[in-house]
Amino acid sequence: MTGHQPLQPRALVMSRRGLLGGMGALALGVALSPRISLAQATGQAPADTPNPLEAILELRPDGTVFLQMPYVEGGQATSTAMAQLVGEELDLDPAMFTVECAPPLPAYVVPGTRRTTGGSSSVRRSYMPMRKLGATARAMLIQAAAARLAVPGAELATEPGRVIHPSSGRSLGYGELARAAAELPVPATPELRSPEQFRWIGKPVARIDGRDKSTGRTRYSIDVSMEGMLLASVKHAPRLGMQVRRLLNEDAVRAMRGVHSVHALAGCVAVVADRWWRANRAVEALQVEWSEAAEPGRFVMRADFSTAKAREEMRTADGPRYNAEDIGDAEGVLAAADKVVEAVYDVPFVSHAQIEPPSATASWNDAEGTLEIWLPNQAPDRFIKMISDASGIDPSKITLHSPTLGGFFGRHFVYPHSSPFPQAVALTRAVGRPVKLIWSREQEFLRDAPRPLGMARMRASIGADGMPTALKIEAVCDSLVASMGAAREAADPTAVEGLAERVYQFKNRKVDHIAYRYPVVVGALRSVGHSLNDFFMESFVDEMADAGGIDPLEWRRRMVSDSARHLALLDHVVEMSGGWRRGPYTAGDGTKRARGIAMASPFGSETATIAEVSIRDGEVQVHDIWTVIDPGRIVNPTSVRMQMQGGTALGLSLLLSEGLEFEHGKAVARNYDGYPMMAPYRMPRVHVGIIESGAEMGGVGEIGVPGGMSAAANAVARLSGERPRSLPLSKTRFAAGA
Amino acid sequence: MKLIVNGEQHELDIEQDAPLLWVIREELGLTGTKYGCGLAQCGACTVLVDGMAVRSCVTPVSSVDGASITTIEAVEQDEVGARVVEAWVRHQVPQCGYCQSGQVMAATALFKQNMNPDETDVQVAMTNYCRCGTYNAISEAIASIKEA
């Protein structure tokens, strides 16, 4: 090219050290871990701190704050919640915060937890630690101001960003005090505000990243750039376990414009070039002869694997069997029962399909033996270990950056063969320059770890009063937690979450997980087991209610009658929706409609949901969803509403249209054109109610997924007379109803 | 060839069939426009070409030679685009944000055509995927622009 030099956009923050080098900052590494409780003047590491970068909160001279949180922001508004929690106690507007994911160091681990962003746990885990962090900093700023103004600390107060001395009218900005505050000892028990005084916690504070994300300014992993960087694209073996035997046209590909080099790596080929699209075009042109895996193994995809065949086998699979719940005598009651209801449900594999494809930018410094890497991930501490194990580089020589995620939904946990980092590390070492590897969407579809294919075999006996006397469930799927490092030959709690330990008061119940092994490396999708099991359970609840001639709302009321919390949820959602009417009925626009109801208890929160549907040309239309969440208490009602709406959207997409099928060991879909996510126009209005019951805090981010889809499925069954037992519904043309 | 992006003219020596998306991202260093699928399915790469929404991942750069291209980086310089951005911020639309450059560009194109679109106009224009499921917030933002 001539006449124009490509711009080198600045990389994401290149060096934490540089940031902390600013003069006069108060850098606090406190409160998250009792081990490390110190204030440090910038750049001066106290003796008992292993690393000077372990500052969590940095007050800058200009009054802004830089907070390094233990979590990764990927849309769930955790960064805004952290700014609210710290800001509330520090007395600083959350808008003044910049929040990033902290580096993988022990100081950032909230005691008693693993440092992963998942399980809808970030805010509830750090609710108190982050408040204490803010309160600690505020106390130190007040103490510094007392010395500066020569008045007792008790005469001082704060207003957002300033310490004030009301009687003299004098005040000092936090930024002016930061350096002096950093010299002070850390108070052990800072005073916390009482909830009645909250200005930001529990209020609809605007997302701190809203404007940047509305104007394209947010930098994701895929946007990282380094000086001298080359770009790379890969072509994965068509089935996991296959290896490169030989390249048939390497010379021709090497001669393509911009191509730097061609590489055969483990399970893939890669082209490195001066531009990504040239690398990608070249790797697509590369003709590869693949060899089969030398022997069968855990991570070898069989050529004869198909989802159709797996489903057939799952209908009769018998073990290994892991009992998750066994109360009363479900088998005995069922055997003696006069009236038994049975059903088998199934759901497909589901891709994460986050819109940002995986990438990894790696820079190997041979002279120093160091590696710097930017990688989408939701568990930095585990990834740095994985990178070290895979590369032989000591963790102390690896700098891992965990940028804002362009969606994750469980995609960026540690799953074998599903992260691009091994390839990027191999390539930067091979070419001696920084390399940014991006997986094309097609390559991502080949190596994503999909949500498990699942089946539930359900049996219930119905008593003379129409209520169930016993319930037996066999959940058939592979172990998901085994993909994330747990033993495979063991019980998997995610296989039964949503089925076992439900709030419904069955006197006799038994829930088993029957482990069916498929050669697909599966992963956790937003709401994990709840994304399938709540659909199974809530559908079968309606089947049991119908078999007993009991209205499904009344059935649920009776089965949660001991729990005021759950009764309140049902009352609230019924009221929000204008009163319970199951239908079918004719709506104002002349369409025939019906409603369904569902409850779910994911990740410590409780929900009740009602959905209204109609059927047009055999296709399900979801019009409105009313959903109430009780997460105990909340930090941001806007974030809760948005997360519930977004989770509902994903659940409906699973209900209506998504599924990843395999034939001959290969996923049929290779891009969005073969993988129909719910089209935007099909999104219903989702009305969200929030109850703060004061119960122990539950999660928010994943809670919306199961309720809407399950309620809508029940509405479809009511309207069409056909019970949806196999997803997605796009496989079925439904009757428009009586 | 000549490429006019955000009012600035660039002389490029590049393959005729280079995708506009990657020219914007890699030659010009404007990374607000996103790669999602490369098949014009998801809309993350939406830019304006002479005011119309175009999915740049399947647009050969030669086909927009001499046209006026607007990316998210300059959308606020457009009066309609600025209103769309303000509505997006006010209604707290973005979650992960990755698709939102494309959503904002698609909405800007919609309102540049018609400041009072009906439901069908919106459905036809707003087809970009959002995996976070921000569609309700997008609808609210769009409704607020109409009413404004």
Side-chain angles (χ1 to χ4, degrees):
Chain A
M1 67 191 266
T2 57
H4 178 77
Q5 286 299 308
L7 305 176
Q8 286 292 346
R10 257 164 32 92
L12 295 164
V13 179
M14 296 291 293
S15 163
R16 199 72 63 207
R17 206 175 290 268
L19 272 177
L20 287 176
M23 286 297 290
L26 166 60
L28 266 185
V30 302
L32 291 187
S33 163
R35 248 187 349 95
I36 296 162
S37 182
L38 57 101
Q40 58 183 77
T42 305
Q44 295 167 10
D48 62 342
T49 316
N51 191 310
L53 310 185
E54 293 185 352
I56 293 164
L57 180 68
E58 181 191 343
L59 285 174
R60 290 168 172 170
D62 65 358
T64 63
V65 160
F66 178 63
L67 176 69
Q68 298 195 91
M69 66 171 174
Y71 312 107
V72 186
E73 174 63 48
Q76 75 282 36
T78 296
S79 55
T80 301
M82 296 299 133
Q84 290 177 260
L85 292 167
V86 176
E88 184 69 62
E89 299 292 349
L90 175 61
D91 204 354
L92 186 68
D93 190 327
M96 302 294 279
F97 282 70
T98 300
V99 182
E100 287 184 3
C101 178
L105 295 167
Y108 299 106
V109 180
V110 175
T113 70
R114 289 205 315 186
R115 203 186 139 193
T116 56
T117 303
S120 294
S121 63
S122 300
V123 174
R124 51 190 164 129
R125 273 183 201 163
S126 48
Y127 185 83
M128 287 310 286
M130 285 295 165
R131 287 180 60 197
K132 283 180 186 160
L133 179 67
T136 302
R138 177 174 176 272
M140 294 166 74
L141 290 161
I142 287 176
Q143 211 187 328
R148 183 83 59 87
L149 300 175
V151 298
E155 290 183 11
L156 296 172
T158 58
E159 60 185 33
R162 299 189 78 76
V163 180
I164 55 173
H165 185 236
S167 59
S168 70
R170 290 179 295 169
S171 73
L172 290 162
Y174 285 176
E176 302 170 67
L177 293 164
R179 185 153 191 89
E183 310 287 336
L184 298 170
V186 177
T189 51
E191 198 181 329
L192 296 177
R193 300 177 79 90
S194 71
E196 309 85 69
Q197 298 174 298
F198 285 168
R199 284 90 25 97
W200 293 300
I201 294 177
K203 305 295 189 292
V205 171
R207 287 187 75 109
I208 60 173
D209 51 3
R211 184 165 292 276
D212 280 353
K213 287 177 171 177
S214 299
T215 52
R217 289 191 197 107
T218 298
R219 292 294 181 94
Y220 303 85
S221 290
I222 201 171
D223 303 321
V224 169
S225 183
M226 297 185 79
E227 202 172 325
M229 180 177 87
L230 291 168
L231 285 301
S233 184
V234 296
K235 177 188 279 184
H236 289 125
R239 282 182 280 111
L240 195 58
M242 298 175 92
Q243 298 297 340
V244 179
R245 178 176 288 145
R246 64 190 181 106
L247 307 178
L248 305 179
N249 61 342
E250 186 178 353
D251 289 346
V253 168
R254 211 186 286 278
M256 289 172 74
R257 182 172 171 184
V259 170
H260 173 279
S261 48
V262 176
H263 306 259
L265 303 176
C268 75
V269 288
V271 171
V272 176
D274 63 344
R275 298 290 184 267
W276 185 79
W277 69 273
R278 288 191 182 122
N280 189 53
R281 191 169 285 191
V283 85
E284 283 178 353
L286 198 55
Q287 293 167 17
V288 187
E289 201 175 289
W290 304 95
S291 59
E292 291 288 342
E295 54 191 62
R298 170 75 177 86
F299 299 116
V300 173
M301 170 55 86
R302 303 191 310 261
D304 65 348
F305 177 73
S306 79
T307 35
K309 188 157 153 253
R311 274 192 201 94
E312 273 315 299
E313 292 177 358
M314 287 164 74
R315 288 186 166 269
T316 53
D318 200 31
R321 180 184 293 262
Y322 302 100
N323 179 255
E325 186 171 39
D326 194 359
I327 291 171
D329 178 21
E331 305 268 16
V333 173
L334 273 163
D338 293 331
K339 187 171 188 179
V340 171
V341 194
E342 287 185 277
V344 177
Y345 292 82
D346 71 85
V347 295
F349 290 114
V350 171
S351 294
H352 289 94
Q354 79 293 341
I355 312 285
E356 182 191 14
S359 66
T361 301
S363 179
W364 167 248
N365 182 324
D366 198 50
E368 297 189 8
T370 55
L371 177 73
E372 185 165 23
I373 185 164
W374 284 258
L375 184 71
N377 76 85
Q378 52 189 110
D381 299 50
R382 294 200 64 196
F383 268 89
I384 202 163
K385 184 172 183 316
M386 290 245 299
I387 296 166
S388 174
D389 290 348
S391 65
I393 304 167
D394 189 83
S396 66
K397 301 275 192 183
I398 301 171
T399 304
L400 170 63
H401 303 280
S402 307
T404 295
L405 299 169
F408 59 120
F409 321 110
R411 171 64 182 87
H412 297 300
F413 278 124
V414 177
Y415 311 117
H417 306 286
S418 68
S419 173
F421 79 78
Q423 300 159 356
V425 172
L427 292 171
T428 182
R429 280 175 145 172
V431 304
R433 288 167 66 177
V435 172
K436 174 161 69 177
L437 165 65
I438 303 169
W439 280 3
S440 68
R441 180 59 57 186
E442 289 79 6
Q443 299 308 311
E444 163 65 350
F445 261 87
L446 268 179
R447 287 296 176 273
D448 181 21
R451 194 278 313 269
L453 170 73
M455 182 175 284
R457 308 191 303 228
M458 326 274 279
R459 292 188 80 207
S461 51
I462 311 296
D465 63 352
M467 295 301 285
T469 51
L471 172 67
K472 185 185 172 198
I473 302 174
E474 292 170 323
V476 189
C477 59
D478 205 344
S479 169
L480 163 62
V481 293
S483 275
M484 301 160 81
R488 204 181 195 196
E489 302 305 329
D492 177 356
T494 71
V496 294
E497 61 186 0
L499 298 172
E501 293 168 32
R502 287 296 301 260
V503 61
Y504 301 132
Q505 299 147 12
F506 293 99
K507 287 190 180 63
N508 301 289
R509 59 186 191 252
K510 186 173 185 191
V511 180
D512 286 343
H513 170 209
I514 293 175
Y516 175 80
R517 308 303 183 194
Y518 27 69
V520 176
V521 179
V522 289
L525 180 78
R526 190 177 190 177
S527 91
V528 199
H530 296 282
S531 75
L532 55 164
N533 291 333
D534 289 273
F535 160 70
F536 298 152
M537 185 70 180
E538 291 300 306
S539 296
F540 196 61
V541 162
D542 269 34
E543 295 210 55
M544 287 185 274
D546 285 345
I550 314 277
D551 174 81
L553 170 63
E554 174 59 21
W555 188 101
R556 287 173 174 83
R557 279 206 170 113
R558 287 191 203 173
M559 291 295 272
V560 303
S561 60
D562 285 353
S563 168
R565 187 184 185 190
H566 292 88
L567 288 168
L569 275 168
L570 288 170
D571 288 345
H572 194 121
V573 75
V574 165
E575 190 190 324
M576 261 177 71
S577 64
W580 172 240
R581 51 174 188 163
R582 198 181 182 198
Y585 49 84
T586 303
D589 64 356
T591 56
K592 194 85 81 178
R593 298 188 184 190
R595 293 187 182 184
I597 185 165
M599 303 186 82
S601 311
F603 305 99
S605 289
E606 300 292 338
T607 66
T609 306
I610 288 173
E612 182 181 78
V613 307
S614 69
I615 291 164
R616 188 169 65 201
D617 302 331
E619 188 183 81
V620 172
Q621 320 283 315
V622 185
H623 297 278
D624 286 271
I625 288 188
W626 298 269
T627 187
V628 181
I629 176 174
D630 174 5
R633 69 189 146 164
I634 65 166
V635 172
N636 190 323
T638 304
S639 299
V640 173
R641 178 165 59 90
M642 299 298 188
Q643 289 304 302
M644 289 301 288
Q645 291 177 334
T648 301
L650 177 61
L652 290 174
S653 194
L654 304 187
L655 175 76
L656 296 173
S657 58
E658 284 186 45
L660 187 69
E661 297 297 313
F662 285 75
E663 290 172 5
H664 309 297
K666 294 175 192 169
V668 175
R670 294 294 303 279
N671 202 320
Y672 293 141
D673 57 342
Y675 188 81
M677 298 188 284
M678 180 179 74
Y681 77 87
R682 298 184 76 179
M683 180 72 182
R685 292 173 293 265
V686 180
H687 316 270
V688 180
I690 299 170
I691 294 178
E692 291 189 82
S693 65
E696 187 182 348
M697 266 181 106
V700 169
E702 302 171 79
I703 312 309
V705 177
M709 67 182 290
S710 304
N714 283 335
V716 169
R718 178 65 173 179
L719 182 60
S720 69
E722 295 172 71
R723 168 59 55 182
R725 293 201 186 97
S726 182
L727 299 189
L729 299 188
S730 53
K731 294 192 292 190
T732 309
R733 286 190 69 78
F734 289 92
Chain B
M1 63 169 294
K2 283 193 185 68
L3 199 62
I4 304 164
V5 177
N6 300 337
E8 201 176 318
Q9 186 164 314
H10 302 268
E11 287 287 339
L12 299 173
D13 167 25
I14 194 146
E15 295 90 321
Q16 299 277 304
D17 60 350
L20 176 61
L21 167 66
W22 293 100
V23 174
I24 289 169
R25 284 182 61 85
E26 297 195 316
E27 305 303 320
L28 307 185
L30 300 172
T31 56
T33 307
K34 299 305 187 196
Y35 167 65
C37 67
L39 280 186
Q41 295 288 310
C42 71
C45 66
T46 305
V47 298
L48 303 187
V49 175
D50 293 332
M52 305 286 280
V54 164
R55 292 189 170 176
S56 63
C57 71
V58 293
T59 304
V61 67
S62 59
S63 73
V64 293
D65 192 348
S68 176
I69 296 155
T70 306
T71 70
I72 187 72
E73 283 84 359
V75 75
E76 288 172 286
Q77 291 164 26
D78 180 282
E79 190 200 339
V80 174
R83 284 174 68 176
V84 171
V85 167
E86 286 313 310
W88 247 243
V89 173
R90 198 167 56 248
H91 289 273
Q92 297 285 297
V93 173
Q95 290 185 23
C96 90
Y98 192 80
C99 76
Q100 296 298 343
S101 295
Q103 304 281 5
V104 165
M105 299 314 284
T108 300
L110 166 68
F111 283 106
K112 285 176 83 70
Q113 293 291 309
N114 176 2
M115 277 312 291
N116 198 20
D118 63 22
E119 199 179 330
T120 307
D121 296 331
V122 173
Q123 281 186 5
V124 168
M126 301 304 292
T127 57
N128 292 6
Y129 282 128
C130 171
R131 193 57 162 167
C132 298
T134 63
Y135 302 123
N136 285 155
I138 288 174
S139 296
E140 288 165 20
I142 283 184
S144 78
I145 298 167
K146 281 168 65 170
E147 288 154 9

